[in-house]
Amino acid sequence: MKHPPAVLANDLVRLRRSTAADARSVFDATSSDAVTHFMEWSRHTDVSETEGFFSGCAARWDSGDEFHWVIEPANERAIAGCIALRVRGSTADFGYFLLPMFWGKGLALAATSLIVGWAKRQPNIFRICATTDTENTRSIATLGRSGLAHEGTLRMATIRPNISTTPRDTAVFGLCRDDF
Ligand SMILES: CC(C)(COP(=O)(O)OP(=O)(O)OC[C@H]1O[C@@H](n2cnc3c(N)ncnc32)[C@H](O)[C@@H]1OP(=O)(O)O)[C@@H](O)C(=O)NCCC(=O)NCCS
């Protein structure tokens, strides 16, 4: 499979392949209650946890396991959040977060549009999808605006450790080649 570009950009955001040096800035997000509430991983309490994740990004990119970018607003030198894409066979899935100070500006939609646009142009990708907690209304709105359809709910499917140890309902969103 062709690797995606290290940089993807539009009027609102620039996605830049992340580097280990980004971890300290991203710790503001990975340690935030608001950002991590619905995540499938526990909130980071020490920057070394974020550094540990980022130290593996280069190898995962090179192997094609996961493509991870930081999201920079087009008009400022700041890291607003992150977005990651995984391709397994003919399916691409993605996930993302933004620091709360960057919510409500259309930056997540701008970032997902770049990822979805790239995936649509790949002849081997037939399905683009994402999942989120059924109560994550902001993410549900972003996925709908990104052109993905709500396909259903996986009941009690995902543990969100920052909320509870009981698995929670997960909404599945997808877009298939027949509808590109
Ligand atoms: C999910 C998340 C990324 C959504 O961020 P967001 O900023 O609400 O997302 P969007 O980019 O879709 O922006 C939509 C908002 O920007 C506004 N907006 C402003 N300018 C805009 C533009 N040019 N284009 C589109 N929307 C624009 C919209 O009106 C909308 O505002 P509203 O929420 O007040 O209705 C963010 O809430 C987040 O990081 N949450 C925590 C992490 C998380 O849950 N990630 C998802 C895991 S599945």
Side-chain angles (χ1 to χ4, degrees):
M1 189 204 69
K2 196 174 99 179
H3 281 28
V7 174
L8 286 160
N10 57 23
D11 286 353
L12 281 183
V13 293
R14 179 172 178 261
L15 308 186
R16 173 178 58 74
R17 178 179 167 171
S18 59
T19 72
D22 295 318
R24 287 202 161 266
S25 305
V26 174
F27 180 60
D28 287 345
T30 56
S31 60
S32 152
D33 288 350
V35 174
T36 61
H37 184 69
F38 288 113
M39 292 298 168
E40 294 176 38
W41 39 271
S42 297
R43 182 176 310 121
H44 292 182
T45 55
D46 191 279
V47 68
S48 62
E49 295 172 82
T50 311
E51 287 171 341
F53 174 81
F54 273 73
S55 67
C57 283
R60 288 192 294 275
W61 184 292
D62 291 340
S63 70
D65 204 37
E66 180 176 68
F67 306 104
H68 189 270
W69 296 264
V70 290
I71 303 170
E72 298 175 337
N75 54 358
E76 53 184 304
R77 211 70 189 145
I79 294 179
C82 296
I83 189 162
L85 172 75
R86 292 161 291 268
V87 181
R88 300 280 180 270
S90 55
T91 296
D93 81 277
F94 62 90
Y96 48 81
F97 60 76
L98 293 177
L99 277 162
M101 64 184 289
F102 294 102
W103 294 5
K105 300 170 189 280
L107 300 189
L109 176 61
T112 60
S113 300
L114 288 167
I115 297 297
V116 170
W118 178 83
K120 280 181 173 178
R121 293 191 295 276
Q122 308 313 305
N124 55 318
I125 293 179
F126 285 73
R127 172 174 168 76
I128 304 165
C129 60
T131 59
T132 192
D133 192 271
T134 52
E135 292 182 11
N136 193 349
T137 50
R138 293 198 80 97
S139 189
I140 286 170
T142 299
L143 292 172
R145 282 190 285 259
S146 305
L148 278 67
H150 181 225
E151 297 178 324
T153 299
L154 301 172
R155 298 207 45 224
M156 301 194 86
T158 311
I159 294 174
R160 314 266 177 201
N162 303 309
I163 301 176
S164 162
T165 52
T166 304
R168 295 168 56 83
D169 293 353
T170 287
V172 179
F173 284 79
L175 174 62
C176 296
R177 177 161 292 280
D178 281 351
D179 302 317
F180 285 179

PDB file of all heavy atoms in Angstrom, residues 12 34-35 39 96-98 102-109 131-132 136 138-139 142 145, ligand 1:
ATOM      1  N   LEU A  12      -7.646  25.421   6.479  1.00  0.00           N
ATOM      2  CA  LEU A  12      -7.773  25.539   7.939  1.00  0.00           C
ATOM      3  C   LEU A  12      -6.679  24.850   8.738  1.00  0.00           C
ATOM      4  O   LEU A  12      -6.346  25.292   9.843  1.00  0.00           O
ATOM      5  CB  LEU A  12      -9.136  24.984   8.399  1.00  0.00           C
ATOM      6  CG  LEU A  12     -10.358  25.866   8.215  1.00  0.00           C
ATOM      7  CD1 LEU A  12     -11.590  25.198   8.798  1.00  0.00           C
ATOM      8  CD2 LEU A  12     -10.152  27.212   8.892  1.00  0.00           C
ATOM      9  N   ALA A  34     -10.935  16.750  29.701  1.00  0.00           N
ATOM     10  CA  ALA A  34     -11.914  16.978  28.631  1.00  0.00           C
ATOM     11  C   ALA A  34     -11.540  16.208  27.367  1.00  0.00           C
ATOM     12  O   ALA A  34     -12.408  15.645  26.692  1.00  0.00           O
ATOM     13  CB  ALA A  34     -12.006  18.470  28.324  1.00  0.00           C
ATOM     14  N   VAL A  35     -10.259  16.175  27.052  1.00  0.00           N
ATOM     15  CA  VAL A  35      -9.832  15.522  25.807  1.00  0.00           C
ATOM     16  C   VAL A  35      -9.927  14.001  25.918  1.00  0.00           C
ATOM     17  O   VAL A  35     -10.335  13.309  24.992  1.00  0.00           O
ATOM     18  CB  VAL A  35      -8.389  15.948  25.439  1.00  0.00           C
ATOM     19  CG1 VAL A  35      -7.884  15.166  24.229  1.00  0.00           C
ATOM     20  CG2 VAL A  35      -8.327  17.446  25.183  1.00  0.00           C
ATOM     21  N   MET A  39     -11.770   8.458  25.610  1.00  0.00           N
ATOM     22  CA  MET A  39     -10.717   7.671  24.960  1.00  0.00           C
ATOM     23  C   MET A  39     -10.695   6.219  25.462  1.00  0.00           C
ATOM     24  O   MET A  39     -11.181   5.917  26.538  1.00  0.00           O
ATOM     25  CB  MET A  39      -9.352   8.315  25.218  1.00  0.00           C
ATOM     26  CG  MET A  39      -9.190   9.630  24.525  1.00  0.00           C
ATOM     27  SD  MET A  39      -9.284   9.408  22.742  1.00  0.00           S
ATOM     28  CE  MET A  39      -9.425  11.095  22.209  1.00  0.00           C
ATOM     29  N   TYR A  96      -9.043  10.852  16.358  1.00  0.00           N
ATOM     30  CA  TYR A  96      -8.505  12.219  16.450  1.00  0.00           C
ATOM     31  C   TYR A  96      -8.867  12.840  17.781  1.00  0.00           C
ATOM     32  O   TYR A  96      -9.781  12.395  18.482  1.00  0.00           O
ATOM     33  CB  TYR A  96      -9.103  13.087  15.320  1.00  0.00           C
ATOM     34  CG  TYR A  96     -10.597  12.934  15.220  1.00  0.00           C
ATOM     35  CD1 TYR A  96     -11.450  13.627  16.071  1.00  0.00           C
ATOM     36  CD2 TYR A  96     -11.163  12.025  14.322  1.00  0.00           C
ATOM     37  CE1 TYR A  96     -12.827  13.435  16.023  1.00  0.00           C
ATOM     38  CE2 TYR A  96     -12.526  11.826  14.264  1.00  0.00           C
ATOM     39  CZ  TYR A  96     -13.346  12.540  15.119  1.00  0.00           C
ATOM     40  OH  TYR A  96     -14.704  12.338  15.098  1.00  0.00           O
ATOM     41  N   PHE A  97      -8.132  13.878  18.143  1.00  0.00           N
ATOM     42  CA  PHE A  97      -8.539  14.746  19.266  1.00  0.00           C
ATOM     43  C   PHE A  97      -7.942  16.128  19.080  1.00  0.00           C
ATOM     44  O   PHE A  97      -6.935  16.301  18.380  1.00  0.00           O
ATOM     45  CB  PHE A  97      -8.157  14.152  20.624  1.00  0.00           C
ATOM     46  CG  PHE A  97      -6.680  13.912  20.843  1.00  0.00           C
ATOM     47  CD1 PHE A  97      -5.803  14.957  21.114  1.00  0.00           C
ATOM     48  CD2 PHE A  97      -6.164  12.626  20.790  1.00  0.00           C
ATOM     49  CE1 PHE A  97      -4.447  14.736  21.337  1.00  0.00           C
ATOM     50  CE2 PHE A  97      -4.805  12.390  21.005  1.00  0.00           C
ATOM     51  CZ  PHE A  97      -3.945  13.443  21.273  1.00  0.00           C
ATOM     52  N   LEU A  98      -8.600  17.091  19.710  1.00  0.00           N
ATOM     53  CA  LEU A  98      -8.125  18.480  19.709  1.00  0.00           C
ATOM     54  C   LEU A  98      -8.095  18.990  21.142  1.00  0.00           C
ATOM     55  O   LEU A  98      -8.956  18.601  21.953  1.00  0.00           O
ATOM     56  CB  LEU A  98      -9.096  19.397  18.946  1.00  0.00           C
ATOM     57  CG  LEU A  98      -9.289  19.249  17.448  1.00  0.00           C
ATOM     58  CD1 LEU A  98     -10.372  20.245  16.992  1.00  0.00           C
ATOM     59  CD2 LEU A  98      -7.989  19.504  16.693  1.00  0.00           C
ATOM     60  N   PHE A 102      -9.226  24.681  20.871  1.00  0.00           N
ATOM     61  CA  PHE A 102      -9.371  24.649  19.407  1.00  0.00           C
ATOM     62  C   PHE A 102     -10.702  24.035  18.963  1.00  0.00           C
ATOM     63  O   PHE A 102     -10.921  23.835  17.776  1.00  0.00           O
ATOM     64  CB  PHE A 102      -8.197  23.883  18.784  1.00  0.00           C
ATOM     65  CG  PHE A 102      -6.862  24.571  18.967  1.00  0.00           C
ATOM     66  CD1 PHE A 102      -5.964  24.139  19.934  1.00  0.00           C
ATOM     67  CD2 PHE A 102      -6.521  25.672  18.192  1.00  0.00           C
ATOM     68  CE1 PHE A 102      -4.741  24.780  20.114  1.00  0.00           C
ATOM     69  CE2 PHE A 102      -5.298  26.317  18.360  1.00  0.00           C
ATOM     70  CZ  PHE A 102      -4.406  25.867  19.328  1.00  0.00           C
ATOM     71  N   TRP A 103     -11.575  23.712  19.921  1.00  0.00           N
ATOM     72  CA  TRP A 103     -12.887  23.173  19.542  1.00  0.00           C
ATOM     73  C   TRP A 103     -13.756  24.303  18.981  1.00  0.00           C
ATOM     74  O   TRP A 103     -13.597  25.473  19.340  1.00  0.00           O
ATOM     75  CB  TRP A 103     -13.599  22.569  20.766  1.00  0.00           C
ATOM     76  CG  TRP A 103     -12.944  21.353  21.357  1.00  0.00           C
ATOM     77  CD1 TRP A 103     -11.753  20.784  20.996  1.00  0.00           C
ATOM     78  CD2 TRP A 103     -13.446  20.564  22.453  1.00  0.00           C
ATOM     79  NE1 TRP A 103     -11.492  19.691  21.790  1.00  0.00           N
ATOM     80  CE2 TRP A 103     -12.502  19.522  22.694  1.00  0.00           C
ATOM     81  CE3 TRP A 103     -14.584  20.619  23.252  1.00  0.00           C
ATOM     82  CZ2 TRP A 103     -12.675  18.574  23.701  1.00  0.00           C
ATOM     83  CZ3 TRP A 103     -14.753  19.674  24.252  1.00  0.00           C
ATOM     84  CH2 TRP A 103     -13.821  18.659  24.476  1.00  0.00           C
ATOM     85  N   GLY A 104     -14.709  23.927  18.156  1.00  0.00           N
ATOM     86  CA  GLY A 104     -15.701  24.891  17.668  1.00  0.00           C
ATOM     87  C   GLY A 104     -15.218  25.763  16.527  1.00  0.00           C
ATOM     88  O   GLY A 104     -15.846  26.766  16.195  1.00  0.00           O
ATOM     89  N   LYS A 105     -14.089  25.401  15.896  1.00  0.00           N
ATOM     90  CA  LYS A 105     -13.546  26.206  14.794  1.00  0.00           C
ATOM     91  C   LYS A 105     -13.514  25.424  13.476  1.00  0.00           C
ATOM     92  O   LYS A 105     -12.951  25.892  12.489  1.00  0.00           O
ATOM     93  CB  LYS A 105     -12.113  26.657  15.139  1.00  0.00           C
ATOM     94  CG  LYS A 105     -12.001  27.512  16.396  1.00  0.00           C
ATOM     95  CD  LYS A 105     -10.516  27.681  16.772  1.00  0.00           C
ATOM     96  CE  LYS A 105     -10.319  28.322  18.123  1.00  0.00           C
ATOM     97  NZ  LYS A 105     -10.462  29.760  18.142  1.00  0.00           N
ATOM     98  N   GLY A 106     -14.017  24.202  13.489  1.00  0.00           N
ATOM     99  CA  GLY A 106     -14.019  23.395  12.276  1.00  0.00           C
ATOM    100  C   GLY A 106     -12.687  22.706  11.983  1.00  0.00           C
ATOM    101  O   GLY A 106     -12.497  22.157  10.893  1.00  0.00           O
ATOM    102  N   LEU A 107     -11.772  22.701  12.957  1.00  0.00           N
ATOM    103  CA  LEU A 107     -10.444  22.126  12.684  1.00  0.00           C
ATOM    104  C   LEU A 107     -10.459  20.600  12.603  1.00  0.00           C
ATOM    105  O   LEU A 107      -9.716  19.998  11.811  1.00  0.00           O
ATOM    106  CB  LEU A 107      -9.428  22.568  13.743  1.00  0.00           C
ATOM    107  CG  LEU A 107      -9.187  24.066  13.889  1.00  0.00           C
ATOM    108  CD1 LEU A 107      -7.999  24.328  14.821  1.00  0.00           C
ATOM    109  CD2 LEU A 107      -8.938  24.729  12.546  1.00  0.00           C
ATOM    110  N   ALA A 108     -11.322  19.965  13.415  1.00  0.00           N
ATOM    111  CA  ALA A 108     -11.395  18.491  13.341  1.00  0.00           C
ATOM    112  C   ALA A 108     -11.973  18.081  11.991  1.00  0.00           C
ATOM    113  O   ALA A 108     -11.462  17.172  11.326  1.00  0.00           O
ATOM    114  CB  ALA A 108     -12.245  17.954  14.488  1.00  0.00           C
ATOM    115  N   LEU A 109     -13.023  18.773  11.575  1.00  0.00           N
ATOM    116  CA  LEU A 109     -13.614  18.474  10.270  1.00  0.00           C
ATOM    117  C   LEU A 109     -12.595  18.700   9.148  1.00  0.00           C
ATOM    118  O   LEU A 109     -12.493  17.886   8.215  1.00  0.00           O
ATOM    119  CB  LEU A 109     -14.855  19.350  10.044  1.00  0.00           C
ATOM    120  CG  LEU A 109     -15.514  19.217   8.675  1.00  0.00           C
ATOM    121  CD1 LEU A 109     -16.009  17.799   8.440  1.00  0.00           C
ATOM    122  CD2 LEU A 109     -16.683  20.216   8.562  1.00  0.00           C
ATOM    123  N   THR A 131     -15.084   4.879  14.976  1.00  0.00           N
ATOM    124  CA  THR A 131     -16.033   4.573  16.045  1.00  0.00           C
ATOM    125  C   THR A 131     -15.913   5.630  17.125  1.00  0.00           C
ATOM    126  O   THR A 131     -14.863   6.280  17.273  1.00  0.00           O
ATOM    127  CB  THR A 131     -15.764   3.193  16.670  1.00  0.00           C
ATOM    128  OG1 THR A 131     -14.430   3.174  17.184  1.00  0.00           O
ATOM    129  CG2 THR A 131     -15.936   2.076  15.647  1.00  0.00           C
ATOM    130  N   THR A 132     -16.999   5.772  17.894  1.00  0.00           N
ATOM    131  CA  THR A 132     -16.957   6.697  19.027  1.00  0.00           C
ATOM    132  C   THR A 132     -17.998   6.279  20.045  1.00  0.00           C
ATOM    133  O   THR A 132     -18.905   5.494  19.743  1.00  0.00           O
ATOM    134  CB  THR A 132     -17.160   8.156  18.552  1.00  0.00           C
ATOM    135  OG1 THR A 132     -16.825   9.037  19.625  1.00  0.00           O
ATOM    136  CG2 THR A 132     -18.587   8.430  18.100  1.00  0.00           C
ATOM    137  N   ASN A 136     -20.603  10.671  22.874  1.00  0.00           N
ATOM    138  CA  ASN A 136     -19.614  11.671  22.446  1.00  0.00           C
ATOM    139  C   ASN A 136     -20.218  12.509  21.317  1.00  0.00           C
ATOM    140  O   ASN A 136     -19.914  12.346  20.134  1.00  0.00           O
ATOM    141  CB  ASN A 136     -18.317  10.978  21.996  1.00  0.00           C
ATOM    142  CG  ASN A 136     -17.161  11.963  21.837  1.00  0.00           C
ATOM    143  OD1 ASN A 136     -17.365  13.173  21.870  1.00  0.00           O
ATOM    144  ND2 ASN A 136     -15.961  11.428  21.664  1.00  0.00           N
ATOM    145  N   ARG A 138     -19.938  15.583  20.277  1.00  0.00           N
ATOM    146  CA  ARG A 138     -19.101  16.412  19.394  1.00  0.00           C
ATOM    147  C   ARG A 138     -18.447  15.540  18.313  1.00  0.00           C
ATOM    148  O   ARG A 138     -18.396  15.917  17.142  1.00  0.00           O
ATOM    149  CB  ARG A 138     -18.015  17.150  20.199  1.00  0.00           C
ATOM    150  CG  ARG A 138     -18.545  18.193  21.134  1.00  0.00           C
ATOM    151  CD  ARG A 138     -17.436  19.163  21.554  1.00  0.00           C
ATOM    152  NE  ARG A 138     -17.190  20.160  20.539  1.00  0.00           N
ATOM    153  CZ  ARG A 138     -17.700  21.383  20.547  1.00  0.00           C
ATOM    154  NH1 ARG A 138     -18.485  21.766  21.531  1.00  0.00           N
ATOM    155  NH2 ARG A 138     -17.433  22.227  19.584  1.00  0.00           N
ATOM    156  N   SER A 139     -17.966  14.372  18.703  1.00  0.00           N
ATOM    157  CA  SER A 139     -17.311  13.517  17.713  1.00  0.00           C
ATOM    158  C   SER A 139     -18.341  12.951  16.728  1.00  0.00           C
ATOM    159  O   SER A 139     -18.068  12.849  15.523  1.00  0.00           O
ATOM    160  CB  SER A 139     -16.560  12.392  18.419  1.00  0.00           C
ATOM    161  OG  SER A 139     -15.777  11.688  17.494  1.00  0.00           O
ATOM    162  N   THR A 142     -18.927  15.539  14.185  1.00  0.00           N
ATOM    163  CA  THR A 142     -17.788  15.661  13.254  1.00  0.00           C
ATOM    164  C   THR A 142     -17.802  14.525  12.229  1.00  0.00           C
ATOM    165  O   THR A 142     -17.588  14.751  11.031  1.00  0.00           O
ATOM    166  CB  THR A 142     -16.450  15.654  14.033  1.00  0.00           C
ATOM    167  OG1 THR A 142     -16.439  16.772  14.924  1.00  0.00           O
ATOM    168  CG2 THR A 142     -15.260  15.738  13.104  1.00  0.00           C
ATOM    169  N   ARG A 145     -20.496  15.137   9.677  1.00  0.00           N
ATOM    170  CA  ARG A 145     -20.098  16.209   8.758  1.00  0.00           C
ATOM    171  C   ARG A 145     -18.997  15.734   7.803  1.00  0.00           C
ATOM    172  O   ARG A 145     -18.824  16.283   6.720  1.00  0.00           O
ATOM    173  CB  ARG A 145     -19.601  17.430   9.547  1.00  0.00           C
ATOM    174  CG  ARG A 145     -20.709  18.279  10.142  1.00  0.00           C
ATOM    175  CD  ARG A 145     -20.156  19.591  10.687  1.00  0.00           C
ATOM    176  NE  ARG A 145     -19.454  19.412  11.937  1.00  0.00           N
ATOM    177  CZ  ARG A 145     -19.972  19.681  13.143  1.00  0.00           C
ATOM    178  NH1 ARG A 145     -21.194  20.145  13.251  1.00  0.00           N
ATOM    179  NH2 ARG A 145     -19.258  19.495  14.232  1.00  0.00           N
TER     180      ARG A 145
HETATM  181  C1  LIG B   1     -14.284  15.463  18.804  1.00  0.00           C
HETATM  182  C2  LIG B   1     -13.621  16.828  18.600  1.00  0.00           C
HETATM  183  C3  LIG B   1     -12.321  16.662  17.838  1.00  0.00           C
HETATM  184  C4  LIG B   1     -14.579  17.725  17.824  1.00  0.00           C
HETATM  185  O1  LIG B   1     -14.048  19.037  17.738  1.00  0.00           O
HETATM  186  P1  LIG B   1     -14.937  20.199  17.068  1.00  0.00           P
HETATM  187  O2  LIG B   1     -14.125  21.419  17.048  1.00  0.00           O
HETATM  188  O3  LIG B   1     -16.272  20.223  17.729  1.00  0.00           O
HETATM  189  O4  LIG B   1     -15.134  19.599  15.621  1.00  0.00           O
HETATM  190  P2  LIG B   1     -15.412  20.223  14.185  1.00  0.00           P
HETATM  191  O5  LIG B   1     -14.159  20.483  13.487  1.00  0.00           O
HETATM  192  O6  LIG B   1     -16.368  19.300  13.532  1.00  0.00           O
HETATM  193  O7  LIG B   1     -16.032  21.642  14.469  1.00  0.00           O
HETATM  194  C5  LIG B   1     -17.412  21.839  14.519  1.00  0.00           C
HETATM  195  C6  LIG B   1     -17.703  23.159  15.201  1.00  0.00           C
HETATM  196  O8  LIG B   1     -16.885  24.207  14.621  1.00  0.00           O
HETATM  197  C7  LIG B   1     -17.752  25.238  14.083  1.00  0.00           C
HETATM  198  N1  LIG B   1     -17.073  25.823  12.925  1.00  0.00           N
HETATM  199  C8  LIG B   1     -16.478  27.036  12.921  1.00  0.00           C
HETATM  200  N2  LIG B   1     -15.902  27.263  11.733  1.00  0.00           N
HETATM  201  C9  LIG B   1     -16.142  26.171  10.965  1.00  0.00           C
HETATM  202  C10 LIG B   1     -15.804  25.815   9.632  1.00  0.00           C
HETATM  203  N3  LIG B   1     -15.094  26.625   8.850  1.00  0.00           N
HETATM  204  N4  LIG B   1     -16.171  24.602   9.177  1.00  0.00           N
HETATM  205  C11 LIG B   1     -16.869  23.761   9.936  1.00  0.00           C
HETATM  206  N5  LIG B   1     -17.236  24.034  11.228  1.00  0.00           N
HETATM  207  C12 LIG B   1     -16.872  25.258  11.719  1.00  0.00           C
HETATM  208  C13 LIG B   1     -19.050  24.519  13.810  1.00  0.00           C
HETATM  209  O9  LIG B   1     -20.125  25.428  13.776  1.00  0.00           O
HETATM  210  C14 LIG B   1     -19.141  23.593  15.022  1.00  0.00           C
HETATM  211  O10 LIG B   1     -19.465  24.366  16.155  1.00  0.00           O
HETATM  212  P3  LIG B   1     -20.429  23.831  17.303  1.00  0.00           P
HETATM  213  O11 LIG B   1     -19.782  22.629  17.892  1.00  0.00           O
HETATM  214  O12 LIG B   1     -20.523  24.983  18.243  1.00  0.00           O
HETATM  215  O13 LIG B   1     -21.704  23.461  16.629  1.00  0.00           O
HETATM  216  C15 LIG B   1     -13.294  17.481  19.964  1.00  0.00           C
HETATM  217  O14 LIG B   1     -14.486  17.700  20.673  1.00  0.00           O
HETATM  218  C16 LIG B   1     -12.366  16.621  20.811  1.00  0.00           C
HETATM  219  O15 LIG B   1     -11.165  16.648  20.638  1.00  0.00           O
HETATM  220  N6  LIG B   1     -12.947  15.876  21.781  1.00  0.00           N
HETATM  221  C17 LIG B   1     -12.150  15.050  22.676  1.00  0.00           C
HETATM  222  C18 LIG B   1     -11.475  13.909  21.974  1.00  0.00           C
HETATM  223  C19 LIG B   1     -12.456  12.994  21.280  1.00  0.00           C
HETATM  224  O16 LIG B   1     -13.509  12.715  21.810  1.00  0.00           O
HETATM  225  N7  LIG B   1     -12.065  12.564  20.086  1.00  0.00           N
HETATM  226  C20 LIG B   1     -12.870  11.684  19.291  1.00  0.00           C
HETATM  227  C21 LIG B   1     -12.696  10.287  19.711  1.00  0.00           C
HETATM  228  S1  LIG B   1     -13.678   9.219  18.686  1.00  0.00           S
END
